[in-house]
Amino acid sequence: MRIGLAIPCFIDAFHPEVGIATLELLERLGQDVTYPLSQTCCGQPMANNGCNGDAAGAEALFVRNFAEFDAVVMPSASCVHHIRAHLDAIPETPAVRHVRDRTYELVEFLHDVLQVDAFPWARFPHRVGLHNGCGALRALRTASMSELGEPFFSKPKALLEKVSGIEFVVPERADECCGFGGTFSVSEDAVSARMGHDKVWRHFQAGASYVVSADSSCMMHQQGCAERAKLKLKFVHIAEILNGRGA
Amino acid sequence: MSPSSDKSRVDHAGGAELFLERAEHLAFHDRRLWELREKRDQQMHGIPEFQELRELASAIKEHTLAKLPEYLEMFERNALANGIHVHWAQDGEEHNRIVLDILRSRNARTVVKSKSMVTEECDMRPWLQARQVEVLETDVGEQIQQFDDEMPSHIVVPAVHKLVRDVAKTFSQAYGTDDGERDVTQLVAAQRRGTRPVILRADAGMTGANFLVAETGAVVVCTNEGNADLSANVPALHIVSTGIEKLVPRAADLAVFIRLLSRSALGSPITQYTTQFRGPRDGGEMHVILVDNGRATRLGMVDFWRSLKCIRCGACMNTCPVYRRSGGLSYGGVYAGPIGAIIQPTFDPDKFSALPFASTLNGSCTNVCPVKIDIHDQLYKWRRIIAEKHYLPFVKREALRMAGRLMARPKLFRAAMKGGNAVLKGLPRFAIYNWLNPWGRHREVPAPPVETFHDWYLRNRKPQTRDRGQPDKGQPDQGDRR
Amino acid sequence: MSAREAILAALKVNRPAGDFPLPDVPSFEEAYREPSKLFPERLALMGGTMAALQPGEDWAGLVRRLYPDVRLVCSTVPEVEGTCRITDFATPQEAQYVELGIVRAAFGVAETGSVCLTEAQLGMNAFPHLCEHLLVLLDPAQVLPNIHSAYRRPEIARARYAVLHSGPSATADIQGVMVRGAQGVRSLTVIYV
């Protein structure tokens, strides 16, 4: 299986360590991973604002970059959701269909496709609050949703439980949105920041030293809030823990 | 001030910011509505068939809407046979005229009413008051809002954005109670004492309708305080204002909705009063006004007609993290929160163009909706329409267009990244954190890393792919499979 | 074209395309095995209370015990003689001073702790809402499992006015504080008889 690694634009720019951890982790698991150099963005920021026409160029470029791979793996749930559920600014050719059907978010890929049952190199002896971004939770269904009263399951937790030393704490309002929401974080910055502050405060009150998530965009926002509030809370992407950071 | 007369674009973000500054109000508002969400969850856990009920409710409503003209005619037939007068109004103005005609023909000058969102849409109260008809809202929350000349901020708990001290101030002016009163029981008692005499001497009572049952010609009203049952039964004239979408086919269908409504709205198994009006009372007269006001048009909108399933429970508002922190008034219209964001643009897409963007698209609203409206999907679709109709703010529109061009051209994108990061690194704090940079007003800006992932990859791995930055010569620019 | 014609015409033109069958609604009654046992619990959750005649106590005694300060009692049931009958009042305004109303419910609903009152039991629709207190006689054999059962009853199908009264009036509209006794009755008490 040839995997194309898609790195969201904000990870490329602000959190390269997440991309590095994702790549190294997949390589550690024996996967053939390629990073197409001419990738930029999946088109989500434009599409989420209704400017579908403006997303077409980015979407076409995404498909050109990734059509040749058997699977596309991306450490961002909202981007993956956009590719699977939308990506309709361009006509649906077989190549487009192929990419839409074979794009996975990292946690889903590790849990459902590779079905990894151990991370022997990984150790994270800390108390962590697990944050499931709303794209991961409600769009990609990587964990059970409180509104539906469904039996508990959590793919990210199932993976993290295999990391030695890790201890979970659960904040109040565990699946309330943290308020990032893409450009919402800027166009409704006051509400967004209030939501972010409330979220990090709840993690802190639950006793977390780290907040871990599969979504860097949420964490960028939460980290900004935590630092402004001078809360002693650190943020780490799930890829980094699973790849052995802190071991 | 009546919102319908103000045509300027609603600034949700600005309204929200004002709300956020009032720390005590914000804290209560957020906590109280989340508590209602939690109580709803508790009810859900107590009923194993809860998700099945939601599915039934959704299917019943979709069926009814698909056959709405037939069910309306059935309702009318049966209501008329029960001795109820039935009227039809295409818009708010027509509705108000019909109400006035009924009142004038019976020499009715004073009206007591219980909650009806349709009458808010029609802006009825000020219209009637301008024509020498006295109208008193009898529902505690609605009455507070009437006295304060504000719209209800939540469709179930209209004054949830207020604290006791605000209500005490309002009642001290209306009822002469002590404005230092903080005992809620005393304030409720004052409202009862002050409202009862008005009900007893009113010429007419108006209610809304939660449901209309087609096969029996009945109107069903779900309330908690008793004011609807008083307003409808004490005066000899009862007028019901209702949207045309409130129909359900059979009494058996009604049961599904009664079991879901209060559980979704307040986390209680049922409202204190679940009332059927299927004919005038002895010595009385009953009228039903069926109001369109844009609903028939909305039925024809392929992406948005399912919003007509709404049973006005407010569960979406309670769960919405944005609504809880911005307050209903920041939405600037009759309906607020998630349901407001998909309904209000049908009244005026320009005025309410900001509402579908007052959302993180997190999807919690869709999950709690008892009739399974795909709210967050409709929010996404509204954004497209608003962008296409050019209702987006100019700066945002241009920024997204530029972003789109940049993202289509890898070389340009890389250059911009390099430039951006370099600039960011070199700027002093005051330059980053100022009013021009919304991110930095309440958050720290992420520190730019030493190198991007792209650069790291170039340094640490052997790049293997062909450059797909440009479509190959002679090939269409659409990513064909090789 | 009248408003009626215009609205119906628009609805026909705008009808959503596709098949939307009306589902069958199950009764969901299996979960409610002993309705008359569950009813008091649910009634209490809604703010109502159960009462019973004590050994040796007559109805007058019960009324005195439960409502020591009440003087104007209007009973619509043969078991209890109040101080007035509903037929004494020609209009709701005349009935406004009644402090305690005594009625018999058509049936009860276990799921929600509701009692069903219709004009057949009430005599005057506004009556149970004008009183301060309501005492409801309910045959325990007439406590139904759930709301689905309630809407199959002929009393509802026949009634021009029917209320499923679930506990006393209430409001939590002022800073979320629950107050029992808003604008309708302040208390609602049920007796199995």
Side-chain angles (χ1 to χ4, degrees):
Chain A
M1 173 170 51
R2 288 191 65 231
I3 296 172
L5 179 65
I7 298 295
C9 43
F10 57 90
I11 288 184
D12 192 352
F14 291 111
H15 291 287
E17 70 276 7
V18 174
I20 296 165
T22 303
L23 174 61
E24 288 181 347
L25 177 60
L26 291 169
E27 287 171 341
R28 261 203 234 246
L29 293 166
Q31 301 302 310
D32 170 355
V33 187
T34 309
Y35 168 76
L37 284 169
S38 48
Q39 62 180 279
T40 58
C41 168
C42 63
Q44 195 202 170
M46 287 71 73
N48 273 10
N49 279 289
C51 299
N52 217 30
D54 296 317
E59 291 183 2
L61 176 62
F62 190 89
V63 173
R64 276 206 303 283
N65 273 305
F66 289 100
E68 69 183 83
F69 296 100
D70 303 308
V72 182
V73 178
M74 202 164 187
S76 163
S78 57
C79 302
V80 169
H81 175 59
H82 171 70
I83 291 159
R84 293 221 281 251
H86 302 295
L87 215 84
D88 53 8
I90 50 178
E92 184 153 286
T93 61
V96 171
R97 191 70 254 159
H98 174 89
V99 168
R100 290 182 72 179
D101 287 343
R102 283 166 183 72
T103 296
Y104 298 91
E105 182 269 331
L106 176 65
V107 166
E108 321 180 280
F109 191 73
L110 295 171
H111 185 277
D112 300 343
V113 180
L114 296 186
Q115 298 178 10
V116 183
D117 60 6
F119 298 93
W121 50 77
R123 201 175 154 265
F124 202 75
H126 303 283
R127 301 177 96 197
V128 307
L130 172 60
H131 173 73
N132 292 321
C134 300
L137 177 66
R138 295 192 189 86
L140 301 187
R141 306 277 184 104
T142 58
S144 49
M145 298 176 276
S146 62
E147 301 95 354
L148 296 185
E150 30 184 20
F152 178 82
F153 76 92
S154 171
K155 297 180 190 180
K157 187 156 193 250
L159 295 173
L160 286 167
E161 273 167 352
K162 301 173 191 343
V163 174
S164 126
I166 201 167
E167 199 191 322
F168 295 98
V169 297
V170 182
E172 280 181 2
R173 304 198 193 179
D175 62 7
E176 184 186 24
C177 177
C178 73
F180 174 64
T183 53
F184 177 89
S185 60
V186 168
S187 61
E188 292 258 1
D189 67 292
V191 178
S192 171
R194 177 84 255 152
M195 289 166 71
H197 277 279
D198 289 348
K199 175 61 71 174
V200 300
W201 180 241
R202 290 194 163 97
H203 275 289
F204 182 77
Q205 281 193 304
S209 315
Y210 282 85
V211 172
V212 60
S213 178
D215 280 283
S216 286
S217 47
C218 298
M219 288 208 293
M220 213 164 59
H221 159 71
Q222 290 179 39
Q223 182 162 3
C225 294
E227 285 176 0
R228 178 60 59 91
K230 301 206 184 344
L231 271 184
K232 276 185 166 38
L233 207 50
K234 295 187 275 257
F235 295 81
V236 60
H237 192 277
I238 194 172
E240 299 179 79
I241 294 183
L242 298 177
N243 190 41
R245 175 189 141 168
Chain B
M1 191 245 267
S2 126
S4 58
S5 58
D6 178 5
K7 296 279 174 217
S8 55
R9 210 176 256 175
V10 172
D11 175 15
H12 174 270
E17 236 181 285
L18 290 173
F19 189 74
L20 285 163
E21 283 165 10
R22 311 175 73 201
E24 210 187 327
H25 287 78
L26 169 69
F28 165 70
H29 190 261
D30 174 53
R31 199 174 56 242
R32 168 62 174 155
L33 295 174
W34 183 257
E35 178 189 47
L36 292 180
R37 157 74 210 275
E38 285 187 316
K39 289 172 82 162
R40 170 230 169 248
D41 287 3
Q42 273 168 27
Q43 287 293 317
M44 169 185 67
H45 289 299
I47 301 194
E49 66 266 25
F50 195 85
Q51 296 307 324
E52 195 181 338
L53 286 173
R54 289 180 72 218
E55 187 51 51
L56 286 166
S58 173
I60 293 166
K61 277 285 171 178
E62 291 190 3
H63 166 84
T64 309
L65 290 166
K67 291 192 151 37
L68 195 55
E70 290 77 27
Y71 281 118
L72 277 168
E73 288 180 297
M74 188 191 296
F75 171 79
E76 182 188 47
R77 219 167 30 245
N78 289 319
L80 288 171
N82 295 339
I84 301 173
H85 300 265
V86 178
H87 312 263
W88 301 69
Q90 287 182 273
D91 57 25
E93 173 85 21
E94 205 172 344
H95 164 271
N96 298 342
R97 285 226 161 270
I98 292 170
V99 173
L100 188 64
D101 285 346
I102 296 171
L103 294 174
R104 281 192 173 152
S105 70
R106 310 290 179 281
N107 248 321
R109 298 256 168 74
T110 56
V111 176
V112 284
K113 69 182 286 284
S114 67
K115 204 209 297 289
S116 159
M117 296 310 289
V118 155
T119 57
E120 302 285 353
E121 280 179 45
C122 301
D123 218 13
M124 184 194 78
R125 221 173 49 226
W127 193 94
L128 285 179
Q129 275 163 180
R131 290 157 178 81
Q132 287 76 53
V133 176
E134 271 177 47
V135 182
L136 179 68
E137 298 287 342
T138 57
D139 179 275
V140 170
E142 292 285 349
Q143 193 177 97
I144 292 165
Q145 292 308 92
Q146 175 178 6
F147 291 159
D148 288 346
D149 195 22
E150 275 181 359
M151 294 289 285
S153 75
H154 184 289
I155 57 184
V156 172
V157 281
V160 70
H161 60 297
K162 295 192 158 121
L163 299 174
V164 196
R165 63 171 184 266
D166 303 314
V167 179
K169 181 148 175 267
T170 302
F171 279 3
S172 74
Q173 285 152 11
Y175 293 127
T177 47
D178 180 3
D179 74 358
E181 183 62 79
R182 298 292 178 262
D183 182 344
V184 173
T185 316
Q186 294 304 319
L187 291 170
V188 171
Q191 197 267 357
R192 178 196 180 97
R193 271 196 314 272
T195 305
R196 181 63 69 90
V198 184
I199 294 176
L200 286 168
R201 64 173 165 75
D203 300 323
M206 291 189 70
T207 67
N210 291 83
F211 306 101
L212 306 172
V213 185
E215 82 174 355
T216 58
V219 172
V220 179
V221 180
C222 305
T223 56
N224 288 302
E225 296 172 33
N227 58 308
D229 291 72
L230 282 164
S231 299
N233 286 309
V234 171
L237 178 57
H238 175 200
I239 302 173
V240 178
S241 301
T242 176
I244 51 178
E245 84 283 26
K246 292 305 181 79
L247 274 150
V248 298
R250 313 162 296 194
D253 304 312
L254 183 62
V256 174
F257 294 96
I258 299 299
R259 296 185 75 204
L260 285 171
L261 178 63
S262 192
R263 287 187 165 103
S264 302
L266 295 167
S268 95
I270 197 172
T271 48
Q272 313 296 114
Y273 300 81
T274 305
T275 305
Q276 167 180 287
F277 297 101
R278 206 174 62 81
R281 69 164 173 82
D282 281 342
E285 196 177 310
M286 181 175 163
H287 296 253
V288 170
I289 308 176
L290 300 166
V291 181
D292 176 358
N293 204 32
R295 288 155 173 77
T297 304
R298 205 175 345 142
L299 189 66
M301 297 171 125
V302 157
D303 290 327
F304 305 115
W305 69 272
R306 288 180 166 86
S307 61
L308 289 164
K309 294 193 280 182
C310 178
I311 62 173
R312 306 288 193 263
C313 71
C316 59
M317 295 175 190
N318 300 342
T319 199
C320 178
V322 175
Y323 174 87
R324 276 185 275 108
R325 292 171 180 83
S326 47
L329 299 180
S330 62
Y331 294 77
V334 175
Y335 302 103
I339 191 69
I342 62 175
I343 289 181
Q344 296 291 136
T346 62
F347 296 133
D348 187 335
D350 187 10
K351 179 175 177 181
F352 298 106
S353 52
L355 299 193
F357 295 90
S359 163
T360 57
L361 299 178
N362 63 76
S364 187
C365 49
T366 299
N367 278 354
V368 299
C369 178
V371 288
K372 298 181 117 172
I373 301 171
D374 53 336
I375 303 176
H376 73 296
D377 288 336
Q378 290 194 29
L379 286 168
Y380 186 88
K381 289 171 181 161
W382 267 116
R383 293 180 179 194
R384 255 187 221 189
I385 292 181
I386 285 163
E388 280 158 20
K389 283 187 151 61
H390 309 293
Y391 295 138
L392 278 186
F394 176 77
V395 171
K396 190 182 206 184
R397 182 102 201 59
E398 287 311 300
L400 289 165
R401 179 172 293 153
M402 279 182 21
R405 290 207 187 114
L406 205 64
M407 301 302 193
R409 284 173 166 60
K411 291 196 167 70
L412 262 183
F413 177 72
R414 292 285 145 213
M417 290 258 266
K418 270 206 168 58
N421 276 357
V423 171
L424 206 54
K425 267 190 212 136
L427 284 177
R429 196 174 163 85
F430 73 81
I432 301 175
Y433 298 102
N434 58 59
W435 65 270
L436 283 173
N437 179 3
W439 179 280
R441 285 208 292 143
H442 305 286
R443 283 167 289 220
E444 294 296 295
V445 171
V450 171
E451 62 184 348
T452 62
F453 175 83
H454 193 266
D455 292 339
W456 177 92
Y457 188 84
L458 283 171
R459 269 198 316 108
N460 289 278
R461 294 283 187 280
K462 231 170 97 161
Q464 290 162 41
T465 50
R466 299 176 46 178
D467 181 2
R468 297 203 181 281
Q470 293 296 319
D472 292 335
K473 280 194 169 33
Q475 298 294 335
D477 191 351
Q478 295 301 347
D480 328 351
R481 181 115 164 83
R482 262 168 218 282
Chain C
M1 204 193 238
S2 68
R4 180 183 187 280
E5 283 156 23
I7 292 171
L8 290 172
L11 289 173
K12 286 174 183 156
V13 164
N14 289 337
R15 202 193 290 279
D19 205 25
F20 300 98
L22 183 62
D24 288 324
V25 179
S27 75
F28 298 114
E29 285 172 351
E30 316 76 46
Y32 301 87
R33 253 162 291 218
E34 290 189 273
S36 59
K37 276 222 168 74
L38 178 61
F39 178 87
E41 224 178 275
R42 295 293 164 93
L43 174 67
L45 275 174
M46 300 302 292
T49 46
M50 294 295 292
L53 276 167
Q54 291 185 343
E57 190 180 49
D58 66 1
W59 285 104
L62 176 133
V63 170
R64 268 195 312 272
R65 175 167 59 86
L66 294 179
Y67 309 99
D69 299 322
V70 155
R71 275 158 319 215
L72 225 74
V73 180
C74 180
S75 167
T76 62
V77 302
E79 292 91 337
V80 189
E81 196 186 327
T83 61
C84 53
R85 309 294 296 182
I86 195 67
T87 43
D88 295 345
F89 307 113
T91 64
Q93 286 75 10
E94 287 181 20
Q96 66 178 287
Y97 302 106
V98 175
E99 292 166 292
L100 172 65
I102 306 181
V103 299
R104 174 171 283 282
F107 58 82
V109 185
E111 177 193 356
T112 50
S114 312
V115 295
C116 179
L117 305 171
T118 76
E119 73 266 18
Q121 289 83 37
L122 298 171
M124 175 193 285
N125 295 352
F127 161 59
H129 310 300
L130 290 166
C131 320
E132 300 287 298
H133 307 282
L134 207 57
L135 181 62
V136 182
L137 275 50
L138 173 63
D139 178 357
Q142 296 302 318
V143 178
L144 308 175
N146 64 17
I147 293 294
H148 298 281
S149 352
Y151 280 107
R152 287 202 301 275
R153 286 286 287 227
E155 291 94 330
I156 291 212
R158 274 197 302 261
R160 282 181 297 135
Y161 176 72
V163 55
L164 292 175
H165 207 316
S166 316
S169 68
T171 182
D173 266 2
I174 301 180
Q175 206 173 308
V177 174
M178 169 61 79
V179 176
R180 300 273 184 211
Q183 299 188 63
V185 292
R186 298 182 195 279
S187 77
L188 188 146
T189 304
V190 178
I191 298 188
Y192 274 162
V193 63

